[in-house]
Amino acid sequence: MSSRTPSGTPSRTPARTPRTHLALGVVAAGTLMIILDGSIVTVAMPAIQRDLDLGPSGLSWVVNTYLVAFGSLLLLAGRLGDLLGRKRMFVAGTGVFTAASLLAGLATTPAALLTARFLQGVGSAMTAAVGLGILVTLFPDGRQRGRAIAVFSFTGAAGASLGQVLGGVLTDALDWHWTFLINLPIGAAVLALAGPALPADRGLGLRAGADAWSAGLITTGLMAALYGIVGAPAHGWASPLTLAPALTGAALVTAFFLRQPRARTPLLPPALLRVRAVAGANLVQLLTVAALFAFQVLVALYLQNVLGHGATATGLAMLPAAVSIGAVSLLLSPRLIGRYGERAVLRAGLALLLAMLVLLARVPVHGGYVADLLPVMLLAAGFGLVLPSLTQLAMSGAGEADAGLASGLFNTTQQLGAALGVAVLSTLAAARTDALTRGGADRPEALTGGYHLAFATGAGLLALALLTTLLLLRRPAPVPTPAEGTDTLPTPVA
């Protein structure tokens, strides 16, 4: 049986088996655990601060320590997955993350918690870096791959939704330790099923290569840059504590890219970035995530600090956004992508998200949920169109040999966007709030003015992302029919 891809070329549809569906479930569950942890911790932060007597700067590193380890190791972990075997990397990462979650759940001092959070970031990088690579090789057919990626995207929305609600419920009913211990049964189930479910792959072998200098440059560079970026809201953008690591990281990352064309076994082959769909999708994702990652942080702060909601009520108030994202990504996006293609669906999703941030930039101080916030939560469904489209485009240039690398690159740009977005938008919001407070505004009015500036800036980033899709993600030219007497077709630029 054959099917037709969005580009119009026929492809052979492999037989689907219960094992492939189980493998999809295992990868999705591993992703669910990582995303659940990320969102559940944000709701528990006030309780962690009180229990461990953390100042604002120390509290921020409960999140930042994780982000630095996660974001800096993704690219290397993806390439090592290609070399050593993606299944092996996925299982090892799940084991590290699960063990680190136990350590975090048992932590009674700030040092113990931060160490566990760093190890959680390492395990997350190992798992997340190869997850998409496993799906790409497991579902080579375009239509089936689209459905698998839709399930993968739905899992992300489900994790965010469950995290926001569970974080409030567990913190209020038990204590913050359980926001980490909840990962243990999920991790145990993933480890138990990964062996029989995931396809065995030996990898290319270490001799196939990962240039050691390249690995050192990109890992150290990303770690230094992320360290500077995530600390900027606390230290200030002009502080040596921000500028020194950020500029050092930028220099190391630049040296990494300069080395790749000359390295015998480049960690990131330049040919992969020359695929227009891959480069464009990663750039659009960087801008989109930078605009939107602060969405759940700033909206949660608006609900709690301006409207007076508690932790559980905040999670429930944001639940429609996660549900709408999940429903659209699972039920609607595969059909729309199959009919109109990834590029058209991506632009439609970005337009919805742009409208969402424009509305948020005008939310009133004494806002009502139904009139002012529920429309915003429903417009968030645009992310359910954006993420599957970007994922398919970003993985379009990946073959069997570099699927893990493409997956690691995609996740790396996602984490860089998240770190930049939170740091920049939070700094802008805080500066605007301080200025309004000095001008005589009361606390709720000043906070709302700060959030307005952050959301308007995010809207500008989304407009730039939409423009980028028009410039870099143009629909590829149709592949001409081979001339008489020839056997091959010219290869179009993706």
Side-chain angles (χ1 to χ4, degrees):
M1 177 181 178
S2 65
S3 65
R4 189 164 294 274
T5 65
S7 61
T9 57
S11 63
R12 180 67 57 184
T13 303
R16 287 178 291 180
T17 67
R19 182 175 174 180
T20 60
H21 289 111
L22 181 59
L24 173 59
V26 168
V27 174
T31 304
L32 171 68
M33 179 173 63
I34 293 170
I35 295 177
L36 177 69
D37 181 81
S39 60
I40 203 172
V41 170
T42 59
V43 182
M45 294 283 274
I48 293 173
Q49 183 176 25
R50 289 192 301 270
D51 194 20
L52 298 184
D53 194 24
L54 288 167
S57 178
L59 182 65
S60 69
W61 283 103
V62 174
V63 174
N64 293 345
T65 301
Y66 173 88
L67 283 176
V68 168
F70 187 24
S72 62
L73 292 172
L74 279 164
L75 197 60
L76 178 60
R79 184 54 177 163
L80 288 177
D82 291 331
L83 299 178
L84 300 175
R86 287 180 282 273
K87 176 179 179 178
R88 186 178 301 171
M89 183 65 66
F90 183 89
V91 171
T94 302
V96 171
F97 182 86
T98 305
S101 296
L102 175 61
L103 294 177
L106 298 177
T108 57
T109 65
L113 180 59
L114 294 180
T115 300
R117 289 292 286 163
F118 185 87
L119 292 174
Q120 276 190 310
V122 174
S124 294
M126 296 168 67
T127 301
V130 296
L132 280 173
I134 292 173
L135 293 187
V136 165
T137 55
L138 194 62
F139 297 93
D141 173 72
R143 183 171 297 179
Q144 290 185 17
R145 180 184 294 183
R147 291 172 180 167
I149 288 175
V151 171
F152 188 83
S153 302
F154 169 78
T155 302
S161 171
L162 286 172
Q164 290 161 354
V165 177
L166 278 177
V169 171
L170 290 174
T171 301
D172 290 342
L174 298 171
D175 62 48
W176 62 265
H177 296 87
W178 286 93
T179 62
F180 297 106
L181 296 176
I182 193 68
N183 294 324
L184 301 185
I186 304 175
V190 171
L191 289 171
L193 294 173
L198 298 182
D201 60 320
R202 294 179 177 274
L204 301 174
L206 287 177
R207 290 188 178 183
D211 181 62
W213 279 103
S214 297
L217 286 170
I218 192 62
T219 303
T220 307
L222 287 173
M223 190 170 290
L226 284 167
Y227 180 88
I229 290 168
V230 299
H235 303 136
W237 286 95
S239 168
L241 295 175
T242 299
L243 291 176
L247 293 176
T248 300
L252 292 172
V253 171
T254 300
F256 165 80
F257 280 104
L258 292 175
R259 181 174 176 80
Q260 296 316 287
R262 296 188 289 272
R264 187 173 63 86
T265 53
L267 182 65
L268 182 60
L272 183 64
L273 291 180
R274 284 198 293 268
V275 180
R276 194 168 60 211
V278 174
N282 278 282
L283 179 55
V284 170
Q285 178 178 233
L286 182 73
L287 294 168
T288 302
V289 174
L292 294 177
F293 192 81
F295 164 77
Q296 69 177 29
V297 176
L298 295 178
V299 170
L301 290 173
Y302 170 76
L303 286 166
Q304 294 186 47
N305 296 336
V306 177
L307 300 187
H309 286 48
T312 302
T314 297
L316 291 173
M318 297 184 69
L319 186 59
V323 171
S324 61
I325 292 170
V328 168
S329 65
L330 183 63
L331 303 176
L332 193 58
S333 67
R335 296 181 182 181
L336 292 176
I337 290 173
R339 182 168 182 178
Y340 300 106
E342 298 93 341
R343 293 159 178 81
V345 174
L346 171 60
R347 290 168 190 145
L350 288 173
L352 290 175
L353 294 175
L354 179 57
M356 178 190 77
L357 288 185
V358 169
L359 288 179
L360 279 172
R362 304 178 62 186
V363 70
V365 176
H366 303 291
Y369 182 77
V370 174
D372 299 306
L373 287 177
L374 185 58
V376 167
M377 301 298 172
L378 298 178
L379 284 172
F383 201 64
L385 300 177
V386 168
L387 185 57
S389 302
L390 282 176
T391 304
Q392 292 201 47
L393 288 166
M395 298 301 292
S396 61
E400 175 70 28
D402 54 10
L405 176 60
S407 174
L409 175 63
F410 187 67
N411 281 283
T412 299
T413 58
Q414 189 175 90
Q415 292 307 309
L416 283 173
L420 280 168
V422 170
V424 172
L425 298 187
S426 296
T427 301
L428 289 174
R432 178 62 175 162
T433 298
D434 289 344
L436 291 173
T437 301
R438 289 194 300 269
D442 60 23
R443 180 70 173 166
E445 183 181 354
L447 286 170
T448 304
Y451 301 147
H452 283 171
L453 177 60
F455 290 132
T457 305
L461 291 173
L462 280 182
L464 184 57
L466 191 55
L467 178 62
T468 303
T469 66
L470 298 173
L471 297 176
L472 294 183
L473 293 176
R474 299 187 300 272
R475 185 175 297 276
V479 181
T481 304
E484 186 176 353
T486 64
D487 297 321
T488 59
L489 292 172
T491 302
V493 177

